[in-house]
Amino acid sequence: MPTRRQFLRAASATAAVSTFNIVPRHVLGGPGFVPPSETINVAMIGCGGKSRSNMLGMMQHPDARIIAVADPAEVTDLHAFYYKSMAGRLTIKGEIEKFYGEKKPGYRCADYVDFRHMLEKEKDIDAVIVSTPDHQHAHGSLTAMRQGKHVYCEKPLTHNIREARLVAKVAKETGVATQMGNAGHSRAFMADTVEMIRAGVIGDISEVHAWVPAKRWNPTLLAAPTETPPVPKGFDWNLWLGPRAERPYHPAYAPVSWRDFTDFGCGALGDFGCHDLDSATWSLDLLAPATIEALNAGKTDNALFPHGSLCYFHFPAVGKQKPVKVTWYDGGLMPELPAEAESRRSKFRRGVKFVGSKGVMLCEGAGGAPWVILNDKTATFDKPAQSIPRVTDHYRDWLDACKGGRPALSNFEYGARLTEITLLGVLAVRLGKKLQWDHANMKVTNAPEAEELIHGTYRKGWEVV
């Protein structure tokens, strides 16, 4: 008789050609009852602030159970950041044990410093959530998928473009269920936006503008830190560095503010692009820009991202992709808003604007409600029929895919495409020049210095292959 894990994997592998039906819980054992064969054993790679929110998201679903965690830090204080909480391996482990222990006294969650050891030793893991800094996303995702684990990975999916293509390739080869952590992709408002753009409610789209107010976490830092403070107790700094070159620990790097540094994060564009370029990529079926150009404000050092950026993506007419110009703004920059939006300006400190031949559509950031402003003030429109599945939430969509349902909406095939577009903007920000992109050959034709950034450099033993 096949084991539960074999059953789940087999169901996932056949998801593309069949639908896996589960007997309703109320038939098996009453409301809320989850038979062992339905429970998905989840492990968490990374135990920072985003990991904690992912943990809480998993706990909403009674057919998921977190059984192991891994992180180089025992305890992390995030009260200085927007998370306003404690995190770290032991903190997250404690919260997991308390939650599940209320239903199953004595519940224990395994904890590891190194995620690779966790995946080697915990044989009951079915699925993995990767919530590490960006520079470790590919390692966790690839290792888990190659062991047959389903994977949910935070955005951006990877730190460089080659990694994004490799992660998508391995996801397809292994057939595991995947989901990128751009949760707005599963919001009904996002689906509404995509359906209306595709239906031509505002006509042919010529421009898209996306903006976030995000700025640097280390606003006064002019270059990589040179001080050498002691490493906090219980923190494996060398393991946190992973594929990156050795350097002394400094609190400017970790926690959270690693996003400022080109070795570890992808700046504001990398942080928010997979959220706020999502509706344009999805609705317009964008694949690759021909050129990308970034104008930077407050660039101080090559190790750091600038304080703000303006980035232009020019998408040509290729296949299903129609010509469109996409403009990205961060650091407080934003586009002009329609006069009708002035009274609601505070709602659009972060947002997306589609410019069409019949009017404009405004959306609040990360999948907010679409607002249509037609050029003809007497005109009306019908909301198009639903063509995109509506889901309970982003985690539920992935869990259903783990059980053999249809692929999650932001699976790695789509997530890698959106990540690559985002990372092309990051590449332009880092190089500070207009780039000519050859998508088929994964090459910038007018900047040989881009090669190293496209492919990445790794410490021995941490290569991504």
Side-chain angles (χ1 to χ4, degrees), residues 144-297:
M145 288 191 295
R146 284 168 171 156
Q147 293 183 19
K149 319 294 186 188
H150 306 296
V151 178
Y152 180 111
C153 181
E154 273 307 322
K155 48 74 208 167
L157 193 55
T158 61
H159 190 261
N160 65 55
I161 292 168
R162 182 187 67 86
E163 288 177 346
R165 295 199 182 184
L166 179 60
V167 165
K169 177 175 179 287
V170 172
K172 183 176 181 179
E173 291 171 347
T174 58
V176 297
T178 59
Q179 180 89 302
M180 185 170 70
N182 54 333
H185 196 84
S186 290
R187 297 179 69 183
F189 286 145
M190 175 76 80
D192 291 343
T193 296
V194 173
E195 288 165 351
M196 285 195 285
I197 293 296
R198 288 177 174 176
V201 168
I202 61 168
D204 294 329
I205 307 300
S206 58
E207 300 175 24
V208 182
H209 302 261
W211 63 98
V212 296
K215 300 179 182 179
R216 282 240 306 256
W217 292 100
N218 295 285
T220 61
L221 199 62
L222 299 179
T226 56
E227 301 87 356
T228 57
V231 178
K233 182 181 177 181
F235 184 28
D236 189 329
W237 170 243
N238 186 61
L239 183 62
W240 187 93
L241 284 173
R244 297 298 172 251
E246 293 184 30
R247 71 204 71 195
Y249 161 81
H250 196 279
Y253 295 125
V256 179
S257 50
W258 49 264
R259 293 189 183 279
D260 287 350
F261 297 90
T262 55
D263 272 354
F264 308 122
C266 297
L269 175 48
D271 190 7
F272 291 95
C274 288
H275 289 306
D276 297 303
L277 294 176
D278 188 4
S279 57
T281 301
W282 196 6
S283 61
L284 301 175
D285 201 22
L286 300 179
L287 175 63
T291 65
I292 318 97
E293 183 177 14
L295 305 175
N296 298 322

Side-chain angles (χ1 to χ4, degrees), residues 111-130:
D111 67 282
Y112 293 83
V113 178
D114 192 326
F115 76 88
R116 296 168 297 183
H117 296 162
M118 177 181 70
L119 292 177
E120 288 171 6
K121 295 182 180 180
E122 298 295 324
K123 302 303 182 184
D124 289 334
I125 296 171
D126 300 310
V128 167
I129 297 177
V130 180

Side-chain angles (χ1 to χ4, degrees), residues 161 206-210 269-270 273-274 276-277 280-281 286-295 309-316 321-330 417-429 434-435 437:
I161 292 168
S206 58
E207 300 175 24
V208 182
H209 302 261
L269 175 48
C274 288
D276 297 303
L277 294 176
T281 301
L286 300 179
L287 175 63
T291 65
I292 318 97
E293 183 177 14
L295 305 175
S309 295
L310 181 66
C311 190
Y312 304 108
F313 301 79
H314 290 273
F315 291 87
Q321 178 178 283
K322 295 182 179 180
V324 64
K325 177 183 178 182
V326 177
T327 305
W328 172 268
Y329 312 73
D330 62 51
R417 174 157 60 100
L418 175 56
T419 292
E420 181 169 321
I421 291 170
T422 299
L423 292 180
L424 283 169
V426 173
L427 187 63
V429 168
K434 188 174 184 177
L435 306 179
W437 180 239

